[in-house]
Amino acid sequence: MFNRVLKWQLIFESKSELIDYFGTRSTVLFKNTFGEIMLAREGDEFYAFENKCPHQNKSLEGCSIDEGAIICPWHKYAFSCETGRGHGLYLEKYPIKFEENGVFIGKEVWSLFG
Ligand code: FES
């Protein structure tokens, strides 16, 4: 029986490496085996989203953050950083966890062995 399970993947060796990757930017594109991930930062909070706006499936590259919302660069739709919700649509959000051995993002995948 197939089940949905959360698969975690290491993206940075440490939180400081993640912070360095952002530099002075608040959103950065990151690629891994999950695909293109839009990483966003507002203060000490970090978020990860699929790099695809649910409005017209366009890339979020060039998006911005404003008061807890990620703003798509194309038509300026705003999506909650906490839930991914906006304009009756949902931005695919990935959880981030910080562990002693690095920074991980999670993605739900189908698994035969649960
Ligand atoms: S494609 Fe993102 S708001 Fe239209």
Side-chain angles (χ1 to χ4, degrees), residues 30-48:
F30 183 83
K31 295 178 185 175
N32 70 1
T33 57
F34 288 168
E36 290 191 349
I37 310 292
M38 181 54 66
L39 297 173
R41 176 186 186 187
E42 187 170 48
D44 291 334
E45 300 294 326
F46 294 88
Y47 309 94

Side-chain angles (χ1 to χ4, degrees), residues 5-31:
V5 297
L6 198 55
K7 180 179 178 185
W8 291 98
Q9 186 169 86
L10 177 74
I11 58 170
F12 290 100
E13 299 290 330
S14 66
K15 189 172 185 177
S16 63
E17 193 177 299
L18 170 66
I19 290 169
D20 287 348
Y21 188 74
F22 273 93
T24 58
R25 299 164 294 182
S26 58
T27 62
V28 288
L29 195 58
F30 183 83
K31 295 178 185 175

Side-chain angles (χ1 to χ4, degrees), residues 53-60 72-79:
C53 178
H55 177 223
Q56 290 185 350
N57 295 328
K58 293 178 181 273
S59 168
L60 291 167
C72 178
W74 294 94
H75 310 103
K76 309 298 182 202
Y77 280 23
F79 299 93

